[in-house]
Amino acid sequence: MPIDPNAEIQITAFDWVPDFARGLVRDLRPRWACEELGLPYRERLISAAERPDWYFTEQPWGQVPVLHDGAIQLFESGAMLLHLAEREGKLLPARGQDRADVLSWLFAAFNNVEPLFLELANVMILAAGKPWAEQRKPGLLRAIAKKLERLEQALGSRDWLAGEFSIADIAMVTILRIGGADLLAETPALRAYLERGEARPAFQAALAAQLAALKTEQPA
């Protein structure tokens, strides 16, 4: 779905991020959902280096994304996925156990998996070489390996977490990408799951749009 400057939905994203973050920023999630749902959207780009004061009235910590859908405004990517799915009646079953499964996996992705992967990014990149980071790394990698082992067992032989592809898979795939495919070497079913997600045309379109919006030169 091409970006439409006249679209009702607006997604706020950064106009530049360091190389290690390109393709991983959370605005990828609502972009991907819009692509899956066939919803046009427009971009509002802000500086990651000098976030405007007014933006903190929309996002208390100055993070991205923020989504506007007419008069509705949301500032958490998980809330955006729920909103977009319910808006269109797709990617989230309407009722019953099927809906409960998707919601459970959606929150599991954010609460059980993402915190460890973000901590790993901090240890391996932002705090690389610092004594405390080196001390934390072995235990953190063991915790992640155990978490991934359990996740693979829960996935089993299914293609997606809760039957049909859903917003839970948008969340989980974007989170697994933070660690990268190499971290999934001991969990081949999860690696295949990640590759299935990344192969979806809607994902490829969302990723291309995010990367196209990013400047190549670091702000002064």
Side-chain angles (χ1 to χ4, degrees):
M1 177 66 62
I3 295 173
D4 180 353
N6 298 312
E8 185 174 21
I9 295 173
Q10 174 184 270
I11 297 174
T12 302
F14 289 140
D15 63 2
W16 176 88
V17 293
D19 288 346
F20 70 81
R22 290 173 180 261
L24 300 176
V25 187
R26 291 186 179 108
D27 61 282
L28 184 61
R29 296 167 187 168
R31 288 178 187 270
W32 186 359
C34 284
E35 294 287 350
E36 292 282 355
L37 295 166
L39 291 172
Y41 67 93
R42 54 193 166 95
E43 298 172 310
R44 179 179 62 171
L45 304 179
I46 64 170
S47 170
E50 296 182 7
R51 302 172 201 189
D53 290 341
W54 57 260
Y55 187 63
F56 289 87
T57 65
E58 297 184 9
Q59 217 296 347
W61 300 278
Q63 300 167 338
V64 297
V66 163
L67 184 142
H68 288 88
D69 183 3
I72 297 174
Q73 176 180 299
L74 304 101
F75 67 84
E76 280 290 331
S77 62
M80 294 171 203
L81 294 180
L82 278 171
H83 169 74
L84 294 170
E86 291 183 333
R87 181 188 197 271
E88 297 301 300
K90 299 177 182 177
L91 301 181
L92 175 64
R95 62 185 63 85
Q97 188 60 51
D98 291 342
R99 179 183 177 86
D101 289 343
V102 171
L103 292 177
S104 294
W105 278 114
L106 179 69
F107 283 92
F110 294 132
N111 293 335
N112 271 287
V113 183
E114 187 172 39
L116 288 175
F117 276 68
L118 292 178
E119 185 181 359
L120 181 65
N122 186 34
V123 165
M124 300 290 286
I125 300 173
L126 300 178
K130 294 184 178 180
W132 72 262
E134 294 302 313
Q135 293 171 5
R136 173 59 178 145
K137 190 185 305 182
L140 178 57
L141 289 172
R142 286 193 297 270
I144 290 175
K146 188 66 174 179
K147 189 77 68 173
L148 293 177
E149 179 185 352
R150 295 286 190 179
L151 178 57
E152 183 175 59
Q153 291 172 0
L155 178 64
S157 60
R158 298 190 305 276
D159 283 345
W160 307 111
L161 290 171
E164 298 294 324
F165 180 84
S166 72
I167 54 174
D169 298 298
I170 292 178
M172 191 67 79
V173 168
T174 54
I175 289 167
L176 291 178
R177 293 184 75 246
I178 297 171
D182 290 346
L183 203 62
L184 305 178
E186 301 302 318
T187 50
L190 281 187
R191 185 162 185 164
Y193 167 74
L194 173 61
E195 291 170 354
R196 279 193 297 276
E198 292 179 322
R200 294 180 71 88
F203 171 83
Q204 292 294 325
L207 179 62
Q210 184 186 80
L211 294 176
L214 295 173
K215 298 176 182 176
T216 56
E217 294 185 6
Q218 182 174 354

